Amino acid sequence: MTNAAENESEILGRRQHLLAPTYQLFYAEPLQIVRAEGVWMYDERGRAYLDAYNNVPVVGHCHPLVVEAMARQAGTLNTHTRYLAEQPLQLAEQLLATMPQEVGRVIFTCTGSEANDLAVRISQVVTGGSGFIITDFAYHGTTHVTAGMSPEGGGPLGAGVYTVPAPRSISDVAAFGEQVRGCIERMRHSGVRLAALLVDTVFSSDGVRTHPVGLLASAVHHVHAAGGLFIADEVQAGFGRVGEAMWGFQRHGVVPDLVTMGKPMGNGHPIAAVAARPSTVAEFAKHRHYFNTFGGNSVSCATALAVLEVIRTEGLLENASRSGEYLRRGLHALAERSGAIGEIRGAGLFIGVDVGTNPVSGLSGSAEATRLANGLRQRGVLVGTTGRSGDVLKIRPPLTFGLEHAKLLLEALDETLHRP
Amino acid sequence: MTNAAENESEILGRRQHLLAPTYQLFYAEPLQIVRAEGVWMYDERGRAYLDAYNNVPVVGHCHPLVVEAMARQAGTLNTHTRYLAEQPLQLAEQLLATMPQEVGRVIFTCTGSEANDLAVRISQVVTGGSGFIITDFAYHGTTHVTAGMSPEGGGPLGAGVYTVPAPRSISDVAAFGEQVRGCIERMRHSGVRLAALLVDTVFSSDGVRTHPVGLLASAVHHVHAAGGLFIADEVQAGFGRVGEAMWGFQRHGVVPDLVTMGKPMGNGHPIAAVAARPSTVAEFAKHRHYFNTFGGNSVSCATALAVLEVIRTEGLLENASRSGEYLRRGLHALAERSGAIGEIRGAGLFIGVDVGTNPVSGLSGSAEATRLANGLRQRGVLVGTTGRSGDVLKIRPPLTFGLEHAKLLLEALDETLHRP
């Protein structure tokens, strides 16, 4: 073995002896990453990988302005929300400025799981209901209650959790609403009172379902008519990823009662939040306390403020639109030359590509999607797979991903499709 | 109004318009803190406050070695556990080195709530049980399931959650075990299968119950005999706070199945973990996945490694023992001169002081405890209150709190007791 291979084998052994076997690694040949910058990650041999997968480092890995803001605040003060402080207020102000005016209050947490868990608690207390509607391959978190709303994780559904199929048609704008209406009917027949509809507004784990624009409108209408709340899970879709808007729900012309956000919020630093209509959280506060030790701490807020500033000053929504559009056009061109590429969906820099049968490799569906992800990794490009059948390529790079990076990705994919 | 008072009033107004009303502030006259260093916090007027309350900045506010380690890693790489990396392995190694050898695996989360929530999930899956025993004024977190195990928060208990009184006698080493044994009997009669006993090993919210040493042994024996697991919640007790040991459970001579930790782990940075017996998490992993995006990320782990290093190199366990002992002796001396001070409990730098009737103020119990906390704040010393009746002073400073700081606290308390 080479030194690098020995090192990887040694690290794998130590993982087995130190970490719980719940941990999983990416790729048939796992990657040891030692540093990263912008859209590039580097392994211990110094080899560069183009990151077309990680949405968390939304403004690029190790952005100097974000690191500096974090370090400066960490050297000055890091404390909680039970003292008066500027940082959480400034952050709440800037977040709410990106939302519809009906959404007017913020509660900070540390992870998207905690944000969704809290949104669930708020929905139960405010509506008196216990029924939740999610999509049938959703992912909403790792806590007890959110794991029960995450069929992607493989565990059992929680009590009162009902599923609907994720949107399939990219043209029928009312189809998803009909599914939700039918589900509310089923709940009513079972005597379960609706608390909320909880959806990832780009339906990431369901295979990236972004179209038709407006598909959430009738669903939200039916939920409100039945006395339920609409929770927009923006943990994956939020912070400009969809390009044309800061939040995924804005593409569909709906106003949520609760908005949850996380992953990209601190560019890797653990910060997340729930934004809500004032009346909703006022009702919750009558019945429950909520305090999160690290939620809204000085350093996390300073970090998230720097992320928002970089998104604005570097024009990352515009870049996401431009690079995403370029990528989708390139993917369509590849599809014309390879039967392995089926439907191409997405908005901004969140793209899902259905994988069919590749006559060159003789593989199809999830086997071909896995081969493509591993083949791209060998060629120095990082993507993932998703969807109920694992047959969707997930392309979701930092929002600083430029046209030159999109070109590299398309070239590597072309090669992987045609040379197994 | 002075400029500072105007500023505070303006901040209060903005909080009301931006944050949910679930947020609460400390003290009748809330503090605006703008910077902190070591055991000192500073308000916007530049006034210094001796921090005898905050356990999160365990190695002192803004410790330069911790800030530097965090900033260095944040400028190099911040990614998740699905790539191979050194940082989580080094941290797991160092944490497990402080544990009994039976505890051999780690799973990283971001908050103590997430750690307790995961420990609950693991207990349910591994035992097949749904019954949990907690103390009757426990606090274990803010997620849906841990809030249902946190009567201190005021919400309803979750399904299958049973309570026992926290230890009251400081001499009867078997009393708590008898309560737990009786509770297991009650569960059995109700047809509920025991999953776990979950206790904070210093019973913080129950009023700080640290004695007699060994009080957990018979309880854990009964739990294991009934097929349940023992979860040691070390979120408050851990990382050397009890002085004589790294973890609270070690004072009682027991070996947990699951150990949860959080608050001080990153000196304010959101990192937490579950440590477990290998067989326990192996069984869980057969049935469930677990992935936490930010859990075990490079920066959080580098930060926690720096905290562990400072705890060792600055001898903070020894300091906690020395300063804690000095404080308790001083409190006993005060108790001889003031009827307001009752029982004094604690280990290391976690101290609970029962507050009785103060003839000087004419107040007693929680009213006097609140007066003392606010009076100390006016005198520049920060402490809190706790316990079911709110009549216990909670003294829980950073572990760098020295004898000179203890002396300042005792002098300020003496004055507050005798000059209302």
Side-chain angles (χ1 to χ4, degrees):
Chain A
M1 286 199 286
T2 64
N3 282 349
E6 267 174 35
N7 183 25
E8 275 172 18
S9 158
E10 187 242 328
I11 289 191
L12 274 167
R14 283 165 66 217
R15 274 176 79 100
Q16 278 167 18
H17 283 95
L18 293 164
L19 304 186
T22 43
Y23 280 94
Q24 298 182 309
L25 290 162
F26 281 143
Y27 304 116
E29 200 180 319
L31 265 178
Q32 184 185 358
I33 299 291
V34 297
R35 70 180 181 90
E37 195 180 343
V39 296
W40 295 97
M41 303 183 85
Y42 300 87
D43 72 10
E44 80 290 9
R45 300 165 177 86
R47 183 177 177 193
Y49 293 83
L50 179 63
D51 186 358
Y53 178 77
N54 288 296
N55 55 339
V56 169
V58 61
V59 297
H61 289 275
C62 303
H63 195 293
L65 290 184
V66 177
V67 174
E68 193 197 320
M70 187 197 312
R72 196 185 324 118
Q73 185 63 50
T76 308
L77 175 71
N78 190 15
T79 194
H80 50 76
T81 52
R82 284 185 164 162
Y83 305 115
L84 294 170
E86 265 299 313
Q87 295 83 17
L89 299 182
Q90 285 178 14
L91 180 55
E93 260 161 12
Q94 292 194 20
L95 288 172
L96 292 173
T98 68
M99 297 265 172
Q101 64 173 22
E102 293 91 335
V103 178
R105 296 288 185 278
V106 177
I107 305 178
F108 294 107
T109 67
C110 298
T111 67
S113 293
E114 284 192 337
N116 280 328
D117 192 293
L118 175 58
V120 166
R121 290 183 66 200
I122 293 173
S123 306
Q124 288 173 326
V125 169
V126 169
T127 65
S130 61
F132 287 84
I133 303 174
I134 60 165
T135 54
D136 62 12
F137 206 64
Y139 176 79
H140 295 294
T142 62
T143 64
H144 185 273
V145 76
T146 58
M149 297 182 182
S150 297
E152 190 210 23
L157 289 182
V161 179
Y162 285 66
T163 66
V164 292
R168 293 285 158 181
S169 161
I170 60 168
S171 57
D172 185 350
V173 76
F176 186 67
E178 279 310 294
Q179 292 288 350
V180 169
R181 196 193 53 72
C183 188
I184 293 171
E185 277 304 303
R186 290 204 306 281
M187 291 173 79
R188 199 171 276 149
H189 281 286
S190 310
V192 173
R193 186 159 159 190
L194 177 66
L197 167 70
L198 166 62
V199 296
D200 167 351
T201 60
V202 291
F203 301 91
S204 319
S205 54
D206 287 293
V208 190
R209 309 283 162 183
T210 50
H211 289 78
V213 166
L215 70 86
L216 286 175
S218 75
V220 172
H221 169 78
H222 292 305
V223 166
H224 282 157
L229 303 184
F230 169 51
I231 307 169
D233 179 343
E234 295 284 344
V235 173
Q236 301 216 51
F239 290 92
R241 177 146 299 275
V242 296
E244 68 212 76
M246 187 70 170
W247 308 104
F249 69 79
Q250 290 170 325
R251 293 178 60 243
H252 296 299
V254 293
V255 178
D257 300 288
L258 294 154
V259 181
T260 60
M261 62 194 82
K263 294 191 194 298
M265 191 170 177
N267 212 45
H269 183 93
I271 177 166
V274 177
R277 297 188 188 224
S279 57
T280 306
V281 283
E283 182 63 24
F284 179 69
K286 283 185 200 160
H287 305 277
R288 296 284 189 282
H289 297 294
Y290 185 84
F291 175 67
N292 186 312
T293 300
F294 300 137
N297 76 69
S298 332
V299 172
S300 296
C301 290
T303 307
L305 279 164
V307 171
L308 286 174
E309 190 185 338
V310 174
I311 289 175
R312 279 193 305 267
T313 56
E314 296 191 4
L316 295 187
L317 272 68
E318 296 73 12
N319 188 68
S321 291
R322 188 170 48 239
S323 294
E325 182 59 31
Y326 180 89
L327 261 176
R328 277 185 293 276
R329 259 189 288 128
L331 290 164
H332 279 290
L334 282 182
E336 285 175 21
R337 298 193 292 113
S338 170
I341 294 192
E343 193 172 86
I344 296 154
R345 296 177 297 275
L349 278 171
F350 207 138
I351 297 174
V353 181
D354 281 350
V355 176
T357 300
N358 190 347
V360 180
S361 67
L363 299 173
S364 62
S366 69
E368 176 65 5
T370 302
R371 188 190 73 80
L372 290 174
N374 280 298
L376 283 167
R377 173 244 183 272
Q378 296 301 342
R379 287 170 175 89
V381 177
L382 306 181
V383 304
T385 61
T386 189
R388 175 180 270 283
S389 312
D391 59 352
V392 179
L393 281 187
K394 179 163 67 171
I395 301 172
R396 194 189 53 174
L399 298 189
T400 52
F401 203 80
L403 301 187
E404 69 278 26
H405 308 122
K407 198 157 174 284
L408 288 174
L409 186 158
L410 291 166
E411 285 165 3
L413 180 57
D414 194 2
E415 202 178 294
T416 312
L417 282 164
H418 296 99
R419 281 173 232 163
Chain B
M1 287 199 284
T2 64
N3 282 349
E6 268 174 34
N7 184 25
E8 276 171 20
S9 157
E10 186 242 329
I11 289 191
L12 274 167
R14 282 164 67 217
R15 274 176 78 102
Q16 278 167 17
H17 283 94
L18 294 164
L19 305 185
T22 44
Y23 280 94
Q24 298 183 311
L25 289 161
F26 281 143
Y27 303 117
E29 200 180 318
L31 264 177
Q32 183 184 358
I33 300 291
V34 298
R35 71 181 181 92
E37 195 181 342
V39 296
W40 295 97
M41 304 184 85
Y42 300 88
D43 71 12
E44 82 288 10
R45 298 167 178 85
R47 183 175 177 194
Y49 293 83
L50 177 64
D51 186 357
Y53 178 78
N54 287 297
N55 55 338
V56 170
V58 60
V59 299
H61 290 276
C62 303
H63 195 292
L65 290 184
V66 177
V67 173
E68 193 197 320
M70 185 197 313
R72 196 185 323 117
Q73 186 62 52
T76 308
L77 176 71
N78 189 16
T79 193
H80 50 76
T81 52
R82 283 184 167 162
Y83 305 115
L84 294 170
E86 265 300 314
Q87 294 82 19
L89 299 181
Q90 284 179 15
L91 181 55
E93 260 161 12
Q94 292 195 20
L95 288 173
L96 292 173
T98 68
M99 298 264 173
Q101 65 173 21
E102 293 91 336
V103 179
R105 296 290 185 275
V106 177
I107 306 178
F108 294 108
T109 67
C110 297
T111 66
S113 292
E114 284 193 337
N116 279 329
D117 192 292
L118 175 58
V120 165
R121 291 183 66 200
I122 293 172
S123 307
Q124 288 173 328
V125 169
V126 170
T127 64
S130 61
F132 287 85
I133 304 174
I134 60 165
T135 54
D136 61 12
F137 206 64
Y139 176 79
H140 296 293
T142 63
T143 64
H144 185 274
V145 76
T146 58
M149 298 183 182
S150 298
E152 190 210 24
L157 289 181
V161 179
Y162 286 65
T163 66
V164 292
R168 293 283 159 183
S169 162
I170 60 168
S171 57
D172 185 349
V173 76
F176 186 66
E178 279 310 295
Q179 292 287 350
V180 169
R181 195 191 54 71
C183 187
I184 293 171
E185 277 305 303
R186 290 204 305 280
M187 291 172 78
R188 200 170 277 149
H189 283 285
S190 310
V192 174
R193 186 159 159 190
L194 177 66
L197 167 70
L198 167 62
V199 295
D200 167 350
T201 60
V202 292
F203 300 92
S204 318
S205 54
D206 286 294
V208 190
R209 309 283 162 182
T210 50
H211 288 78
V213 166
L215 70 87
L216 286 174
S218 74
V220 172
H221 169 80
H222 292 305
V223 165
H224 282 158
L229 302 183
F230 168 51
I231 308 169
D233 179 343
E234 295 284 344
V235 174
Q236 300 217 50
F239 290 93
R241 176 145 302 274
V242 297
E244 68 211 77
M246 188 69 169
W247 308 103
F249 69 81
Q250 291 170 325
R251 294 178 59 244
H252 296 300
V254 292
V255 178
D257 301 287
L258 295 154
V259 182
T260 59
M261 63 194 81
K263 292 191 195 295
M265 191 169 177
N267 212 46
H269 185 93
I271 176 167
V274 177
R277 299 187 187 225
S279 57
T280 305
V281 284
E283 182 62 25
F284 179 70
K286 283 186 202 159
H287 305 277
R288 297 284 188 281
H289 298 294
Y290 185 85
F291 175 67
N292 186 313
T293 300
F294 300 136
N297 76 68
S298 332
V299 173
S300 295
C301 289
T303 308
L305 280 164
V307 171
L308 286 173
E309 189 185 337
V310 174
I311 290 175
R312 279 192 306 267
T313 55
E314 296 190 4
L316 295 187
L317 272 69
E318 296 73 12
N319 188 68
S321 292
R322 188 170 49 240
S323 293
E325 182 59 31
Y326 180 88
L327 261 177
R328 278 185 292 277
R329 259 189 287 129
L331 291 165
H332 280 290
L334 282 182
E336 285 176 20
R337 299 194 290 113
S338 170
I341 295 193
E343 193 171 85
I344 296 155
R345 295 177 298 274
L349 277 171
F350 208 138
I351 297 175
V353 181
D354 281 351
V355 175
T357 300
N358 190 346
V360 180
S361 67
L363 299 172
S364 61
S366 70
E368 174 65 6
T370 302
R371 188 190 73 82
L372 289 174
N374 280 298
L376 283 168
R377 173 242 181 277
Q378 296 302 342
R379 287 171 176 87
V381 176
L382 307 180
V383 303
T385 61
T386 188
R388 176 181 269 282
S389 311
D391 59 352
V392 180
L393 280 188
K394 179 162 66 169
I395 301 172
R396 193 190 53 176
L399 298 189
T400 52
F401 202 80
L403 301 187
E404 69 278 26
H405 308 121
K407 198 156 172 285
L408 288 174
L409 186 159
L410 291 166
E411 285 166 3
L413 180 56
D414 194 2
E415 201 177 298
T416 312
L417 282 164
H418 295 99
R419 281 175 231 162

